[in-house]
Each structure stands twice: as structure tokens, then as C-alpha cells.
Amino acid sequence: QEERKEDITHSHSPRFSDKDNVPFMGMAKTSKKDFVGLFDYGSPVPKLQDSNVLLFYNEKSIPTDLTYEEKENIINSGSSNGGDNGNKSKDGTIQMLDAKKATNNCQIVHVATIPTDDQRKQSCLAVVQNYPNQFLQKWMRNNNALSQPFQAVNRGQTEKSRIFRTPESDKIQQHWKILKQ
């Protein structure tokens, strides 16, 4: 099968159109195991079967060295326009790439980790384009009531606990000993 040489980067993306005004042009996924093997960002990672990492791309960060079909699948990720199977997005799936290939054209990779227990809850993740910063907020409704307004809360707050408890003094000393080794 002959590779098409035309550049499709500027083609219309059914997933993210110009009128959506979002900072993404496409998306792909990679296995979580492969991703954390490439990026050791310090926090422990629970072992979840078949867990994937979702990557969003702007026009300049779409991976290089892709086949025409892979690039088309990234730009059209998740759009359901009939057809293929496997790793093809034409059937509504998201293009799967290994972590190294998926990030080969990224100068910066922002990683947002979310708790694994959020999968059992009515949890959402919002990505907001803003000034250059590393800002993460958590918003919750009081008493788990959807009728209540959202309130900004601290990162340790849960439905059952309204405060972020600092570790006990002996735990702090124990952890410092480990860090000093």
C-alpha cells in the first residue's frame, strides 16, 4: 500500500473543530505501563489492568514518523465515521501508540494524575487553556448533592473528610529517615 505524502495536519478534524475553540487538534493513547516507564514522575502508580494514558496534541506536537493512517487517526480520533477496525479511529476508537512514539514531537508533557477511585464516582476532568502555569484545582459539591453549587476545596478533601490531615509526627520522622538514605 502506497503512503500518501500530503500533509493532513491542516485538514479539518471532526473531533476538534475550529468552532469548538479548544487547544487540541488530535489525541492518541498509550499504555500506562509504557508511559510511566518512560516518565518516572515520582509518585507511586497503582497497577491497573488495561489502563491507558490519553494524550492530547496541538498542531505542532503531533508525533513525527507516523504513517498517513496513524496521523489521520490522531487528528480524527474518536470521530465515528464508519469503517475500519484495530487501531483505526474510523470506528470511533482512539489511535494506540507506544509512549516514546506518542511523545516524540512534544517539547513539554504536562501530566495530570487523577485518583483511581474517581472511576467509581461522577468525576470529570476539565482542561483549561490559560497563561503559562502549573495550576490544578479541585471543585466539589457539598454533601454529594448535584443540586448544590461547586466549591473550591483542598486536594485532600473527600466526600467523608472535609480537611486535609497532615501526617502524625512519628510518620514524618520515619519518612525523613527514608529520604535521607
Side-chain angles (χ1 to χ4, degrees):
Q1 183 178 0
E2 186 179 317
E3 293 276 330
R4 293 181 228 166
K5 301 293 182 197
E6 63 194 86
D7 183 14
I8 62 166
T9 305
H10 297 285
S11 68
H12 174 72
S13 169
R15 174 52 67 197
F16 304 114
S17 72
D18 291 339
K19 64 183 174 189
D20 290 332
N21 197 22
V22 295
F24 310 116
M25 181 169 193
M27 63 182 159
K29 64 183 176 181
T30 187
S31 83
K32 182 176 181 180
K33 182 178 180 181
D34 192 23
F35 186 83
V36 298
L38 186 61
F39 298 97
D40 179 7
Y41 50 89
S43 62
V45 179
K47 294 178 180 170
L48 300 174
Q49 289 183 313
D50 302 325
S51 182
N52 291 315
V53 173
L54 192 58
L55 295 156
F56 294 98
Y57 301 103
N58 66 24
E59 184 177 324
K60 295 179 181 179
S61 64
I62 290 176
T64 58
D65 301 326
L66 299 174
T67 65
Y68 179 88
E69 286 76 19
E70 286 174 327
K71 192 171 186 179
E72 184 179 55
N73 291 339
I74 286 170
I75 292 171
N76 297 316
S77 285
S79 66
S80 188
N81 45 11
D84 252 296
N85 56 22
N87 289 338
K88 308 295 187 190
S89 68
K90 291 178 182 173
D91 67 354
T93 62
I94 298 170
Q95 179 69 44
M96 182 70 143
L97 298 172
D98 68 76
K100 197 167 196 165
K101 188 174 190 177
T103 58
N104 74 12
N105 202 27
C106 298
Q107 288 184 332
I108 300 169
V109 176
H110 297 278
V111 178
T113 61
I114 56 173
T116 56
D117 64 344
D118 278 359
Q119 294 174 3
R120 297 186 310 266
K121 301 173 186 166
Q122 292 168 286
S123 175
C124 301
L125 176 65
V127 179
V128 180
Q129 193 170 14
N130 202 351
Y131 295 108
N133 63 47
Q134 305 301 315
F135 195 62
L136 188 63
Q137 289 186 333
K138 183 175 181 179
W139 294 75
M140 290 179 67
R141 297 179 193 271
N142 278 334
N143 305 319
N144 287 332
L146 293 176
S147 62
Q148 297 293 313
F150 283 106
Q151 292 182 331
V153 297
N154 66 47
R155 66 187 175 126
Q157 186 166 329
T158 66
E159 301 83 25
K160 296 175 184 170
S161 172
R162 295 292 177 206
I163 58 171
F164 182 74
R165 293 189 175 98
T166 56
E168 301 288 329
S169 180
D170 61 328
K171 293 290 183 191
I172 293 172
Q173 291 173 3
Q174 178 185 354
H175 293 138
W176 269 111
K177 286 179 186 176
I178 294 169
L179 290 172
K180 289 179 181 179
Q181 293 179 359

